[in-house]
Amino acid sequence: MNRRVCSYDMFAVPDPSFVLKDTVGEMYFCNLRCFCVWSVQLATRPNLSEEDKTGAYSLTTPSGEEHQFAGIVDVARWATANAFG
């Protein structure tokens, strides 16, 4: 069994967790705070690649909800809106 590590704080990720998929693979996040901080940091990079800006992302939340996004900015918007209410 592979150990899942949070892409933000590098701690072991509980199951279920936040799982973000893109064309390259999957990233795991312990909680919404980690997911929000990670996505905002990536979305606000001045040298963000075109692929990250417009790529397709799929998020599965711990409750099993699935969300689709067109670009990391949309991911960061969703994460911010849900982390801070």
Side-chain angles (χ1 to χ4, degrees):
M1 179 172 155
N2 290 335
R3 183 174 168 193
R4 293 180 174 181
V5 176
C6 181
S7 292
Y8 177 68
D9 66 10
M10 305 308 280
F11 288 122
V13 174
D15 194 30
S17 62
F18 289 88
V19 180
L20 183 68
K21 297 177 186 176
D22 64 5
T23 57
V24 178
E26 295 181 347
M27 292 161 276
Y28 306 97
F29 299 92
C30 295
N31 53 45
L32 191 51
R33 179 195 63 84
C34 289
F35 179 61
C36 179
V37 173
W38 175 87
S39 63
V40 169
Q41 284 180 337
L42 182 60
T44 57
R45 276 188 174 168
N47 61 345
L48 190 62
S49 73
E50 202 56 42
E51 183 178 337
D52 286 333
K53 288 179 187 177
T54 60
Y57 292 89
S58 171
L59 174 69
T60 304
T61 66
S63 65
E65 293 177 57
E66 292 192 20
H67 302 274
Q68 304 296 319
F69 304 100
I72 195 66
V73 172
D74 286 343
V75 173
R77 283 184 186 135
W78 183 91
T80 303
N82 286 279
F84 299 107

